[in-house]
PDB file of all heavy atoms in Angstrom:
ATOM      1  N   PHE A 191       0.801  -1.216   0.000  1.00 39.00           N
ATOM      2  CA  PHE A 191       0.000   0.000   0.000  1.00 39.00           C
ATOM      3  C   PHE A 191       0.832   1.264   0.000  1.00 39.00           C
ATOM      4  O   PHE A 191       0.361   2.311  -0.398  1.00 39.00           O
ATOM      5  CB  PHE A 191      -1.012   0.008   1.153  1.00 39.00           C
ATOM      6  CG  PHE A 191      -0.408   0.150   2.515  1.00 39.00           C
ATOM      7  CD1 PHE A 191      -0.237   1.383   3.092  1.00 39.00           C
ATOM      8  CD2 PHE A 191      -0.030  -0.968   3.223  1.00 39.00           C
ATOM      9  CE1 PHE A 191       0.312   1.511   4.342  1.00 39.00           C
ATOM     10  CE2 PHE A 191       0.511  -0.847   4.475  1.00 39.00           C
ATOM     11  CZ  PHE A 191       0.689   0.393   5.038  1.00 39.00           C
ATOM     12  N   VAL A 192       2.090   1.204   0.387  1.00 40.00           N
ATOM     13  CA  VAL A 192       2.918   2.397   0.397  1.00 40.00           C
ATOM     14  C   VAL A 192       3.609   2.599  -0.952  1.00 40.00           C
ATOM     15  O   VAL A 192       4.170   3.643  -1.211  1.00 40.00           O
ATOM     16  CB  VAL A 192       3.929   2.363   1.565  1.00 40.00           C
ATOM     17  CG1 VAL A 192       4.734   3.628   1.635  1.00 40.00           C
ATOM     18  CG2 VAL A 192       3.198   2.165   2.878  1.00 40.00           C
ATOM     19  N   GLN A 193       3.517   1.627  -1.843  1.00 40.00           N
ATOM     20  CA  GLN A 193       4.083   1.801  -3.167  1.00 40.00           C
ATOM     21  C   GLN A 193       3.350   2.895  -3.920  1.00 40.00           C
ATOM     22  O   GLN A 193       3.825   3.399  -4.930  1.00 40.00           O
ATOM     23  CB  GLN A 193       4.046   0.493  -3.952  1.00 40.00           C
ATOM     24  CG  GLN A 193       5.067  -0.497  -3.447  1.00 40.00           C
ATOM     25  CD  GLN A 193       5.017  -1.796  -4.209  1.00 40.00           C
ATOM     26  OE1 GLN A 193       4.156  -2.017  -5.043  1.00 40.00           O
ATOM     27  NE2 GLN A 193       5.946  -2.684  -3.905  1.00 40.00           N
ATOM     28  N   GLU A 194       2.204   3.288  -3.411  1.00 41.00           N
ATOM     29  CA  GLU A 194       1.434   4.367  -4.013  1.00 41.00           C
ATOM     30  C   GLU A 194       2.046   5.731  -3.716  1.00 41.00           C
ATOM     31  O   GLU A 194       1.483   6.757  -4.064  1.00 41.00           O
ATOM     32  CB  GLU A 194      -0.009   4.313  -3.501  1.00 41.00           C
ATOM     33  CG  GLU A 194      -0.698   3.007  -3.814  1.00 41.00           C
ATOM     34  CD  GLU A 194      -2.036   2.864  -3.115  1.00 41.00           C
ATOM     35  OE1 GLU A 194      -2.606   3.889  -2.700  1.00 41.00           O
ATOM     36  OE2 GLU A 194      -2.495   1.736  -2.981  1.00 41.00           O
ATOM     37  N   LEU A 195       3.214   5.759  -3.090  1.00 38.00           N
ATOM     38  CA  LEU A 195       3.849   7.025  -2.737  1.00 38.00           C
ATOM     39  C   LEU A 195       4.242   7.853  -3.947  1.00 38.00           C
ATOM     40  O   LEU A 195       4.544   9.031  -3.805  1.00 38.00           O
ATOM     41  CB  LEU A 195       5.094   6.779  -1.874  1.00 38.00           C
ATOM     42  CG  LEU A 195       4.804   6.426  -0.429  1.00 38.00           C
ATOM     43  CD1 LEU A 195       6.106   6.113   0.293  1.00 38.00           C
ATOM     44  CD2 LEU A 195       4.082   7.522   0.284  1.00 38.00           C
ATOM     45  N   ASP A 196       4.233   7.247  -5.132  1.00 43.00           N
ATOM     46  CA  ASP A 196       4.517   8.022  -6.336  1.00 43.00           C
ATOM     47  C   ASP A 196       3.476   9.119  -6.508  1.00 43.00           C
ATOM     48  O   ASP A 196       3.747  10.173  -7.051  1.00 43.00           O
ATOM     49  CB  ASP A 196       4.541   7.117  -7.565  1.00 43.00           C
ATOM     50  CG  ASP A 196       5.677   6.120  -7.509  1.00 43.00           C
ATOM     51  OD1 ASP A 196       6.694   6.416  -6.851  1.00 43.00           O
ATOM     52  OD2 ASP A 196       5.549   5.059  -8.141  1.00 43.00           O
ATOM     53  N   ASP A 197       2.274   8.865  -6.038  1.00 54.00           N
ATOM     54  CA  ASP A 197       1.205   9.843  -6.083  1.00 54.00           C
ATOM     55  C   ASP A 197       1.351  10.730  -4.845  1.00 54.00           C
ATOM     56  O   ASP A 197       1.183  10.282  -3.725  1.00 54.00           O
ATOM     57  CB  ASP A 197      -0.138   9.120  -6.094  1.00 54.00           C
ATOM     58  CG  ASP A 197      -1.314  10.062  -6.062  1.00 54.00           C
ATOM     59  OD1 ASP A 197      -1.131  11.286  -6.137  1.00 54.00           O
ATOM     60  OD2 ASP A 197      -2.442   9.564  -5.947  1.00 54.00           O
ATOM     61  N   LYS A 198       1.667  12.013  -5.038  1.00 57.00           N
ATOM     62  CA  LYS A 198       1.963  12.902  -3.909  1.00 57.00           C
ATOM     63  C   LYS A 198       0.782  13.071  -2.963  1.00 57.00           C
ATOM     64  O   LYS A 198       0.972  13.181  -1.756  1.00 57.00           O
ATOM     65  CB  LYS A 198       2.454  14.250  -4.419  1.00 57.00           C
ATOM     66  CG  LYS A 198       3.809  14.161  -5.068  1.00 57.00           C
ATOM     67  CD  LYS A 198       4.437  15.507  -5.194  1.00 57.00           C
ATOM     68  CE  LYS A 198       5.750  15.399  -5.905  1.00 57.00           C
ATOM     69  NZ  LYS A 198       6.866  15.178  -5.043  1.00 57.00           N
ATOM     70  N   ASP A 199      -0.441  13.080  -3.475  1.00 63.00           N
ATOM     71  CA  ASP A 199      -1.601  13.188  -2.590  1.00 63.00           C
ATOM     72  C   ASP A 199      -1.706  11.968  -1.688  1.00 63.00           C
ATOM     73  O   ASP A 199      -1.968  12.087  -0.493  1.00 63.00           O
ATOM     74  CB  ASP A 199      -2.894  13.337  -3.403  1.00 63.00           C
ATOM     75  CG  ASP A 199      -2.981  14.659  -4.121  1.00 63.00           C
ATOM     76  OD1 ASP A 199      -2.369  15.641  -3.632  1.00 63.00           O
ATOM     77  OD2 ASP A 199      -3.658  14.719  -5.154  1.00 63.00           O
ATOM     78  N   GLN A 200      -1.485  10.809  -2.274  1.00 64.00           N
ATOM     79  CA  GLN A 200      -1.529   9.567  -1.509  1.00 64.00           C
ATOM     80  C   GLN A 200      -0.398   9.555  -0.471  1.00 64.00           C
ATOM     81  O   GLN A 200      -0.586   9.127   0.656  1.00 64.00           O
ATOM     82  CB  GLN A 200      -1.394   8.371  -2.463  1.00 64.00           C
ATOM     83  CG  GLN A 200      -1.767   7.069  -1.848  1.00 64.00           C
ATOM     84  CD  GLN A 200      -3.266   6.946  -1.599  1.00 64.00           C
ATOM     85  OE1 GLN A 200      -4.057   7.811  -1.934  1.00 64.00           O
ATOM     86  NE2 GLN A 200      -3.645   5.877  -0.968  1.00 64.00           N
ATOM     87  N   ALA A 201       0.755  10.037  -0.857  1.00 64.00           N
ATOM     88  CA  ALA A 201       1.889  10.086   0.060  1.00 64.00           C
ATOM     89  C   ALA A 201       1.579  10.982   1.253  1.00 64.00           C
ATOM     90  O   ALA A 201       1.873  10.628   2.393  1.00 64.00           O
ATOM     91  CB  ALA A 201       3.132  10.595  -0.672  1.00 64.00           C
ATOM     92  N   LEU A 202       0.997  12.129   0.992  1.00 71.00           N
ATOM     93  CA  LEU A 202       0.656  13.040   2.078  1.00 71.00           C
ATOM     94  C   LEU A 202      -0.326  12.385   3.041  1.00 71.00           C
ATOM     95  O   LEU A 202      -0.183  12.504   4.260  1.00 71.00           O
ATOM     96  CB  LEU A 202       0.075  14.343   1.524  1.00 71.00           C
ATOM     97  CG  LEU A 202      -0.330  15.376   2.571  1.00 71.00           C
ATOM     98  CD1 LEU A 202       0.876  15.774   3.434  1.00 71.00           C
ATOM     99  CD2 LEU A 202      -0.939  16.585   1.904  1.00 71.00           C
ATOM    100  N   LYS A 203      -1.309  11.670   2.520  1.00 73.00           N
ATOM    101  CA  LYS A 203      -2.282  10.978   3.377  1.00 73.00           C
ATOM    102  C   LYS A 203      -1.575   9.968   4.279  1.00 73.00           C
ATOM    103  O   LYS A 203      -1.860   9.878   5.467  1.00 73.00           O
ATOM    104  CB  LYS A 203      -3.332  10.261   2.523  1.00 73.00           C
ATOM    105  CG  LYS A 203      -4.311  11.185   1.852  1.00 73.00           C
ATOM    106  CD  LYS A 203      -5.270  10.392   0.983  1.00 73.00           C
ATOM    107  CE  LYS A 203      -6.128  11.316   0.159  1.00 73.00           C
ATOM    108  NZ  LYS A 203      -6.996  10.569  -0.777  1.00 73.00           N
ATOM    109  N   ILE A 204      -0.664   9.211   3.691  1.00 72.00           N
ATOM    110  CA  ILE A 204       0.056   8.200   4.474  1.00 72.00           C
ATOM    111  C   ILE A 204       0.909   8.871   5.545  1.00 72.00           C
ATOM    112  O   ILE A 204       0.939   8.440   6.692  1.00 72.00           O
ATOM    113  CB  ILE A 204       0.917   7.311   3.558  1.00 72.00           C
ATOM    114  CG1 ILE A 204       0.009   6.451   2.692  1.00 72.00           C
ATOM    115  CG2 ILE A 204       1.854   6.436   4.378  1.00 72.00           C
ATOM    116  CD1 ILE A 204       0.723   5.705   1.594  1.00 72.00           C
ATOM    117  N   HIS A 205       1.564   9.963   5.195  1.00 71.00           N
ATOM    118  CA  HIS A 205       2.404  10.660   6.162  1.00 71.00           C
ATOM    119  C   HIS A 205       1.575  11.231   7.305  1.00 71.00           C
ATOM    120  O   HIS A 205       1.986  11.184   8.468  1.00 71.00           O
ATOM    121  CB  HIS A 205       3.203  11.773   5.483  1.00 71.00           C
ATOM    122  CG  HIS A 205       4.219  11.266   4.506  1.00 71.00           C
ATOM    123  ND1 HIS A 205       5.097  10.250   4.784  1.00 71.00           N
ATOM    124  CD2 HIS A 205       4.478  11.635   3.234  1.00 71.00           C
ATOM    125  CE1 HIS A 205       5.856  10.017   3.746  1.00 71.00           C
ATOM    126  NE2 HIS A 205       5.503  10.843   2.778  1.00 71.00           N
ATOM    127  N   LEU A 206       0.415  11.776   6.978  1.00 79.00           N
ATOM    128  CA  LEU A 206      -0.457  12.326   8.020  1.00 79.00           C
ATOM    129  C   LEU A 206      -0.962  11.224   8.951  1.00 79.00           C
ATOM    130  O   LEU A 206      -1.014  11.404  10.165  1.00 79.00           O
ATOM    131  CB  LEU A 206      -1.632  13.083   7.392  1.00 79.00           C
ATOM    132  CG  LEU A 206      -1.267  14.395   6.704  1.00 79.00           C
ATOM    133  CD1 LEU A 206      -2.467  14.942   5.935  1.00 79.00           C
ATOM    134  CD2 LEU A 206      -0.759  15.412   7.707  1.00 79.00           C
ATOM    135  N   ILE A 207      -1.317  10.104   8.373  1.00 80.00           N
ATOM    136  CA  ILE A 207      -1.780   8.972   9.187  1.00 80.00           C
ATOM    137  C   ILE A 207      -0.646   8.477  10.080  1.00 80.00           C
ATOM    138  O   ILE A 207      -0.834   8.250  11.274  1.00 80.00           O
ATOM    139  CB  ILE A 207      -2.308   7.834   8.286  1.00 80.00           C
ATOM    140  CG1 ILE A 207      -3.629   8.263   7.627  1.00 80.00           C
ATOM    141  CG2 ILE A 207      -2.496   6.551   9.080  1.00 80.00           C
ATOM    142  CD1 ILE A 207      -4.080   7.349   6.503  1.00 80.00           C
ATOM    143  N   LEU A 208       0.523   8.337   9.504  1.00 78.00           N
ATOM    144  CA  LEU A 208       1.670   7.857  10.284  1.00 78.00           C
ATOM    145  C   LEU A 208       2.013   8.822  11.410  1.00 78.00           C
ATOM    146  O   LEU A 208       2.363   8.406  12.512  1.00 78.00           O
ATOM    147  CB  LEU A 208       2.879   7.655   9.376  1.00 78.00           C
ATOM    148  CG  LEU A 208       4.087   7.019  10.065  1.00 78.00           C
ATOM    149  CD1 LEU A 208       3.736   5.648  10.606  1.00 78.00           C
ATOM    150  CD2 LEU A 208       5.235   6.920   9.104  1.00 78.00           C
ATOM    151  N   HIS A 209       1.892  10.105  11.146  1.00 79.00           N
ATOM    152  CA  HIS A 209       2.189  11.113  12.163  1.00 79.00           C
ATOM    153  C   HIS A 209       1.321  10.924  13.411  1.00 79.00           C
ATOM    154  O   HIS A 209       1.781  11.133  14.532  1.00 79.00           O
ATOM    155  CB  HIS A 209       1.989  12.513  11.584  1.00 79.00           C
ATOM    156  CG  HIS A 209       2.254  13.604  12.569  1.00 79.00           C
ATOM    157  ND1 HIS A 209       3.534  13.921  12.978  1.00 79.00           N
ATOM    158  CD2 HIS A 209       1.430  14.431  13.238  1.00 79.00           C
ATOM    159  CE1 HIS A 209       3.464  14.899  13.865  1.00 79.00           C
ATOM    160  NE2 HIS A 209       2.209  15.224  14.028  1.00 79.00           N
ATOM    161  N   ASP A 210       0.071  10.523  13.211  1.00 83.00           N
ATOM    162  CA  ASP A 210      -0.856  10.343  14.332  1.00 83.00           C
ATOM    163  C   ASP A 210      -0.860   8.939  14.910  1.00 83.00           C
ATOM    164  O   ASP A 210      -1.575   8.664  15.867  1.00 83.00           O
ATOM    165  CB  ASP A 210      -2.279  10.710  13.882  1.00 83.00           C
ATOM    166  CG  ASP A 210      -2.422  12.193  13.609  1.00 83.00           C
ATOM    167  OD1 ASP A 210      -1.697  12.990  14.241  1.00 83.00           O
ATOM    168  OD2 ASP A 210      -3.256  12.559  12.758  1.00 83.00           O
ATOM    169  N   LEU A 211      -0.086   8.049  14.332  1.00 85.00           N
ATOM    170  CA  LEU A 211      -0.034   6.676  14.808  1.00 85.00           C
ATOM    171  C   LEU A 211       0.612   6.634  16.198  1.00 85.00           C
ATOM    172  O   LEU A 211       1.626   7.280  16.432  1.00 85.00           O
ATOM    173  CB  LEU A 211       0.794   5.836  13.829  1.00 85.00           C
ATOM    174  CG  LEU A 211       0.531   4.344  13.784  1.00 85.00           C
ATOM    175  CD1 LEU A 211      -0.905   4.058  13.366  1.00 85.00           C
ATOM    176  CD2 LEU A 211       1.486   3.693  12.796  1.00 85.00           C
ATOM    177  N   PRO A 212       0.013   5.893  17.132  1.00 86.00           N
ATOM    178  CA  PRO A 212       0.597   5.833  18.483  1.00 86.00           C
ATOM    179  C   PRO A 212       1.872   4.992  18.511  1.00 86.00           C
ATOM    180  O   PRO A 212       2.134   4.189  17.622  1.00 86.00           O
ATOM    181  CB  PRO A 212      -0.515   5.164  19.310  1.00 86.00           C
ATOM    182  CG  PRO A 212      -1.293   4.356  18.331  1.00 86.00           C
ATOM    183  CD  PRO A 212      -1.221   5.105  17.020  1.00 86.00           C
ATOM    184  N   GLU A 213       2.658   5.214  19.551  1.00 87.00           N
ATOM    185  CA  GLU A 213       3.859   4.407  19.776  1.00 87.00           C
ATOM    186  C   GLU A 213       3.420   3.079  20.377  1.00 87.00           C
ATOM    187  O   GLU A 213       2.402   3.017  21.045  1.00 87.00           O
ATOM    188  CB  GLU A 213       4.819   5.126  20.731  1.00 87.00           C
ATOM    189  CG  GLU A 213       5.418   6.389  20.168  1.00 87.00           C
ATOM    190  CD  GLU A 213       6.315   6.190  18.946  1.00 87.00           C
ATOM    191  OE1 GLU A 213       6.699   5.035  18.652  1.00 87.00           O
ATOM    192  OE2 GLU A 213       6.605   7.174  18.285  1.00 87.00           O
ATOM    193  N   PRO A 214       4.090   2.002  20.199  1.00 86.00           N
ATOM    194  CA  PRO A 214       5.353   1.824  19.493  1.00 86.00           C
ATOM    195  C   PRO A 214       5.162   1.577  17.997  1.00 86.00           C
ATOM    196  O   PRO A 214       6.131   1.379  17.286  1.00 86.00           O
ATOM    197  CB  PRO A 214       5.953   0.587  20.160  1.00 86.00           C
ATOM    198  CG  PRO A 214       4.764  -0.264  20.463  1.00 86.00           C
ATOM    199  CD  PRO A 214       3.692   0.739  20.861  1.00 86.00           C
ATOM    200  N   TYR A 215       3.898   1.589  17.528  1.00 87.00           N
ATOM    201  CA  TYR A 215       3.637   1.264  16.129  1.00 87.00           C
ATOM    202  C   TYR A 215       4.386   2.184  15.169  1.00 87.00           C
ATOM    203  O   TYR A 215       4.964   1.736  14.191  1.00 87.00           O
ATOM    204  CB  TYR A 215       2.130   1.328  15.836  1.00 87.00           C
ATOM    205  CG  TYR A 215       1.329   0.428  16.726  1.00 87.00           C
ATOM    206  CD1 TYR A 215       0.500   0.943  17.709  1.00 87.00           C
ATOM    207  CD2 TYR A 215       1.423  -0.954  16.606  1.00 87.00           C
ATOM    208  CE1 TYR A 215      -0.220   0.109  18.539  1.00 87.00           C
ATOM    209  CE2 TYR A 215       0.703  -1.799  17.437  1.00 87.00           C
ATOM    210  CZ  TYR A 215      -0.117  -1.259  18.400  1.00 87.00           C
ATOM    211  OH  TYR A 215      -0.818  -2.095  19.224  1.00 87.00           O
ATOM    212  N   LYS A 216       4.363   3.484  15.489  1.00 85.00           N
ATOM    213  CA  LYS A 216       5.012   4.457  14.619  1.00 85.00           C
ATOM    214  C   LYS A 216       6.509   4.158  14.488  1.00 85.00           C
ATOM    215  O   LYS A 216       7.047   4.089  13.391  1.00 85.00           O
ATOM    216  CB  LYS A 216       4.803   5.865  15.176  1.00 85.00           C
ATOM    217  CG  LYS A 216       5.381   6.951  14.317  1.00 85.00           C
ATOM    218  CD  LYS A 216       5.346   8.341  14.933  1.00 85.00           C
ATOM    219  CE  LYS A 216       4.207   8.640  15.826  1.00 85.00           C
ATOM    220  NZ  LYS A 216       4.194  10.018  16.326  1.00 85.00           N
ATOM    221  N   GLU A 217       7.177   3.975  15.607  1.00 85.00           N
ATOM    222  CA  GLU A 217       8.630   3.780  15.566  1.00 85.00           C
ATOM    223  C   GLU A 217       9.005   2.436  14.953  1.00 85.00           C
ATOM    224  O   GLU A 217       9.951   2.351  14.178  1.00 85.00           O
ATOM    225  CB  GLU A 217       9.244   3.914  16.954  1.00 85.00           C
ATOM    226  CG  GLU A 217      10.750   3.876  16.897  1.00 85.00           C
ATOM    227  CD  GLU A 217      11.418   4.181  18.215  1.00 85.00           C
ATOM    228  OE1 GLU A 217      10.725   4.489  19.201  1.00 85.00           O
ATOM    229  OE2 GLU A 217      12.655   4.116  18.251  1.00 85.00           O
TER     230      GLU A 217
END
């Protein structure tokens, strides 16, 4: 699902989701 990072909108969504992911999952 992260191979979609070529699409910048999709990448931003993934980054925003990851930013809010709780620890230890994020790390």
Side-chain angles (χ1 to χ4, degrees):
F191 69 92
V192 183
Q193 287 179 354
E194 301 171 20
L195 284 176
D196 295 333
D197 177 6
K198 291 197 183 270
D199 291 333
Q200 195 71 3
L202 180 59
K203 288 177 188 175
I204 292 170
H205 294 312
L206 290 171
I207 290 168
L208 186 60
H209 179 73
D210 292 331
L211 204 61
E213 293 296 347
Y215 303 110
K216 183 188 328 183
E217 187 173 357

